[in-house]
């Protein structure tokens, strides 16, 4: 079973995974910067698409706050490439098909729909400070207004 999500004030679990565009992305790539690390269930589903578009629309504001954005799901890197092209996304997406990072961040959980239990990603966002510590955690994210709320937290970090 999955661990609990790391708490604010703890060091963010390290990762190195395939990203969109054939590149490899690691947590250490963001050393010295603030990072919005958001986990979402699946490319091109309604809630996930809206969340990605909301973060993308605020990308320049996040940049002014010295903050990078990184989305993570268990979809393949090829799926991420298609998703980014289709919606004009201008930030990196990481593929965790093995679920190791999802488990390290405590977001691979048992879910239930129509009485059927299954494993899936719980929509969760972490704000990581320039030293690699988790500054804030949003669990069970509701998409409307979320990206703006994360931006406000990044501005005050």
């Amino acid at each position: 079973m999955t661990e609990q999500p790391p708490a604010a004030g703890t060091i963010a679990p390290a990762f190195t995974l395939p990203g969109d565009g054939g590149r490899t992305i690691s947590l250490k790539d963001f050393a010295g910067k603030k990072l919005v690390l958001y986990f979402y269930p699946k490319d091109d589903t309604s809630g996930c698409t809206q969340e990605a578009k909301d973060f993308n629309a605020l990308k320049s504001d996040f940049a002014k706050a010295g903050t990078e954005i990184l989305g993570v799901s268990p979809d393949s890197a090829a799926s991420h490439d298609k998703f980014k092209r289709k919606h004009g996304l201008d930030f990196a997406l990481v593929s965790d098909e093995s679920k190791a990072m999802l488990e390290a961040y405590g977001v691979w959980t048992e879910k239930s729909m129509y009485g059927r239990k299954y494993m899936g990603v719980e929509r969760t966002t972490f704000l990581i400070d320039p030293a690699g510590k988790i500054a804030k955690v949003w669990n069970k994210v509701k998409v409307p207004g979320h990206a703006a709320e994360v931006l406000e937290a990044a501005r005050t970090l």
Side-chain angles (χ1 to χ4, degrees), residues 5-13 27 30 33-39 55 61-63 65-70 105 124-139 141 146-157:
T10 62
I11 296 291
L27 180 61
F30 302 96
K33 297 177 186 164
K34 293 180 271 186
L35 175 65
V36 171
L37 183 62
Y38 84 95
F39 293 89
F55 275 118
D61 294 309
F62 276 104
T67 308
E68 299 275 344
I69 303 166
L70 183 61
Y105 279 85
T124 307
T125 301
F126 295 87
L127 179 59
I128 301 172
D129 75 14
K133 278 192 177 165
I134 295 170
K136 189 162 173 57
V137 182
W138 289 265
N139 294 306
V141 166
H146 177 62
E149 185 183 332
V150 175
L151 177 59
E152 284 311 305
R155 284 179 171 149
T156 60
L157 179 61

Side-chain angles (χ1 to χ4, degrees), residues 3 29 54 68 71 88-89 100 117 129 149-150:
E3 305 172 27
D29 297 341
D54 290 352
E68 299 275 344
L89 304 178
K117 294 200 180 304
D129 75 14
E149 185 183 332
V150 175

Side-chain angles (χ1 to χ4, degrees), residues 55-108:
F55 275 118
N56 201 61
L58 295 172
K59 186 173 185 291
S60 65
D61 294 309
F62 276 104
K64 286 178 195 149
T67 308
E68 299 275 344
I69 303 166
L70 183 61
V72 184
S73 86
D75 293 308
S76 68
S79 174
H80 286 340
D81 286 337
K82 186 176 168 192
F83 183 49
K84 282 185 68 167
R85 271 194 313 273
K86 181 175 179 180
H87 298 289
L89 304 178
D90 189 28
F91 57 85
L93 298 176
V94 170
S95 170
D96 186 18
E97 292 181 277
S98 74
K99 324 277 190 303
M101 180 185 181
L102 299 174
E103 289 182 0
Y105 279 85
V107 301
W108 185 247

